[in-house]
Amino acid sequence: DEKEEEELRQRFMAPPVSGLRELRRRRRELRSRMELLIMETQGEVCRALAALDPGATFAVDTWERKEGGGGISCVLQDGEVFEKAGVNVSVVFGLLSEEAARQMRSRGKSLKAKDGKLPFCAMGVSSVIHPKNPHVPTMHFNYRYFEIEEADGTKQWWFGGGTDLTPTYLNEEDAVHFHKTLKEACDKHDLKLYPKYKKWCDDYFYIKHRGERRGIGGIFFDDVDSPSKEEVFQFVKSCAKAVVPCYIPIVKRHCHDSFTPEQKLWQQLRRGRYVEFNLVYDRGTKFGLLTPGSRIESILMSLPLTARWEYMHTPPESSKEAEILEVLRNPKDWVH
């Protein structure tokens, strides 16, 4: 037993929010299995990143939420390879705020509250990785599970998530590798999933006021509650396991590429767009900011250490900078 606990601890960055004993006791319940999956994903990704940036270490920050639950934030800052890399886990429960419930109803959820109260449980792992080198793309992923108990005791549940890539410069080989790896993860479950969730990703990460996507996409889905809890969980697990293989080879390939001050400047301007999307449109950010007792530092971990906004900046025609803009305005099919 102690040996098993030690093994689990080595796979995680910190002890789980719900406690190992409790998770083992309820190990057949989906909530426990999901919490173990997000903890393992955090550990896997942090170890893979740390191996590429040996001089840097992850600050591991465990926090509690007085309304119920807590989380573990792992952030590496100002390394040789990564300017800022964060991998967060949160497991929170309590009562849904009116504002959050309203946001969910606007997405078509019929939530029947008891005396205006809706008990909920939400858990997920989310990560944003901003590398120093402009030839290494930024990557984001998030996988989450949500459960709400209605007035009559019925439980509504759903999964959401996705993985997407935001390069400063377009590298076709990287784009194909990234999308193919995600497609393989989806195809194990249903051949219809990748095209559907790829399109959803392109539509979701759209900076409306700029008329461009945040990056070259990947997959994105939300409110998934069929065919069955087990099948969706297995699908989410495949997606989470695809994070390291879809991204780490790209970092390895480019982290020592040489770059010019002009290329660094373009990266800073693209980072500005990243910030615009996250603060204006991202639902997860908005939900976090609306949830009482949420941890602002963890929610805004997705923002880069540095970014730049220049007045009326337009790259020269047929430049490498213009090439990525073209793809952001007109998403491509990378796998066929």
Side-chain angles (χ1 to χ4, degrees):
D1 222 29
E2 272 183 23
K3 189 168 164 250
E4 190 186 349
E5 294 216 353
E6 187 45 46
E7 265 174 34
L8 281 175
R9 282 211 178 84
Q10 282 175 353
R11 290 190 349 234
F12 302 155
M13 297 300 283
V17 176
S18 302
L20 266 179
R21 216 156 269 149
E22 183 60 15
L23 288 177
R24 298 253 296 288
R25 201 172 61 77
R26 296 180 303 148
R27 62 169 157 255
R28 286 196 174 77
E29 284 180 33
L30 194 115
R31 270 169 69 162
S32 302
R33 292 163 67 204
M34 183 64 181
E35 188 170 342
L36 285 168
L37 174 66
I38 62 181
M39 292 295 302
E40 274 173 25
T41 305
Q42 182 184 46
E44 267 168 35
V45 174
C46 287
R47 281 193 298 274
L49 296 172
L52 295 179
D53 207 337
T57 49
F58 274 96
V60 179
D61 196 1
T62 306
W63 53 274
E64 276 179 30
R65 177 175 173 270
K66 69 174 194 301
E67 294 81 357
I72 302 147
S73 298
C74 297
V75 181
L76 181 158
Q77 216 161 243
D78 227 354
E80 288 292 305
V81 175
F82 302 108
E83 184 179 285
K84 188 171 173 199
V87 192
N88 288 353
V89 156
S90 70
V91 179
V92 299
F93 46 86
L95 298 171
L96 210 55
S97 72
E98 257 314 300
E99 190 54 52
R102 205 172 17 252
Q103 200 192 340
M104 285 177 180
R105 288 192 179 104
S106 74
R107 287 183 4 232
K109 299 247 170 252
S110 62
L111 303 171
K112 296 181 280 294
K114 185 179 186 175
D115 311 324
K117 291 185 170 61
L118 279 166
F120 82 100
C121 157
M123 60 178 71
V125 56
S126 71
S127 170
V128 177
I129 297 155
H130 292 293
K132 281 203 162 153
N133 192 314
H135 299 297
V136 182
T138 282
M139 195 266 289
H140 155 260
F141 76 88
N142 169 296
Y143 290 99
R144 57 193 180 278
Y145 173 70
F146 218 94
E147 202 174 87
I148 288 181
E149 194 174 323
E150 295 189 271
D152 59 2
T154 53
K155 281 186 180 166
Q156 281 208 44
W157 58 269
W158 62 89
F159 288 89
T163 303
D164 62 280
L165 197 68
T166 306
T168 301
Y169 288 97
L170 185 63
N171 179 304
E172 298 240 350
E173 203 185 321
D174 295 344
V176 170
H177 166 80
F178 185 80
H179 276 271
K180 267 199 166 143
T181 310
L182 294 177
K183 182 181 184 294
E184 281 163 21
C186 293
D187 286 356
K188 277 186 206 147
H189 301 270
D190 185 339
L191 297 177
K192 292 194 215 63
L193 296 179
Y194 171 76
K196 180 181 169 184
Y197 294 158
K198 190 251 184 220
K199 182 184 183 311
W200 197 337
C201 189
D202 288 334
D203 294 344
Y204 178 75
F205 291 105
Y206 183 58
I207 309 172
K208 212 183 289 171
H209 62 268
R210 297 280 189 186
E212 62 189 47
R213 307 303 173 292
R214 185 177 79 175
I216 59 159
I219 54 171
F220 180 86
F221 56 90
D222 207 353
D223 299 328
V224 178
D225 56 7
S226 66
S228 72
K229 219 180 216 183
E230 186 58 35
E231 283 171 278
V232 187
F233 173 69
Q234 291 302 336
F235 163 65
V236 166
K237 191 173 180 174
S238 295
C239 294
K241 296 282 174 218
V243 169
V244 167
C246 77
Y247 182 60
I248 295 296
I250 298 175
V251 182
K252 279 187 177 157
R253 201 179 293 152
H254 300 290
C255 62
H256 300 302
D257 289 5
S258 60
F259 58 89
T260 65
E262 291 73 31
Q263 289 171 328
K264 189 69 190 170
L265 175 81
W266 176 243
Q267 181 194 45
Q268 296 289 290
L269 291 165
R270 296 312 310 161
R271 291 260 177 86
R273 301 285 162 99
Y274 202 91
V275 172
E276 286 176 32
F277 177 84
N278 282 30
L279 293 184
V280 178
Y281 300 112
D282 189 65
R283 268 217 321 262
T285 306
K286 283 183 176 173
F287 178 79
L289 298 175
L290 295 172
T291 302
S294 63
R295 193 165 184 274
I296 302 304
E297 282 300 310
S298 299
I299 294 161
L300 298 182
M301 167 212 79
S302 63
L303 303 182
L305 207 54
T306 59
R308 187 178 173 103
W309 285 267
E310 269 185 31
Y311 186 68
M312 302 294 277
H313 182 280
T314 318
E317 266 180 56
S318 71
S319 62
K320 292 300 274 178
E321 289 77 11
E323 177 190 35
I324 185 87
L325 283 181
E326 173 55 34
V327 172
L328 300 178
R329 287 173 188 146
N330 304 292
K332 275 180 72 165
D333 175 356
W334 298 103
V335 293
H336 295 107

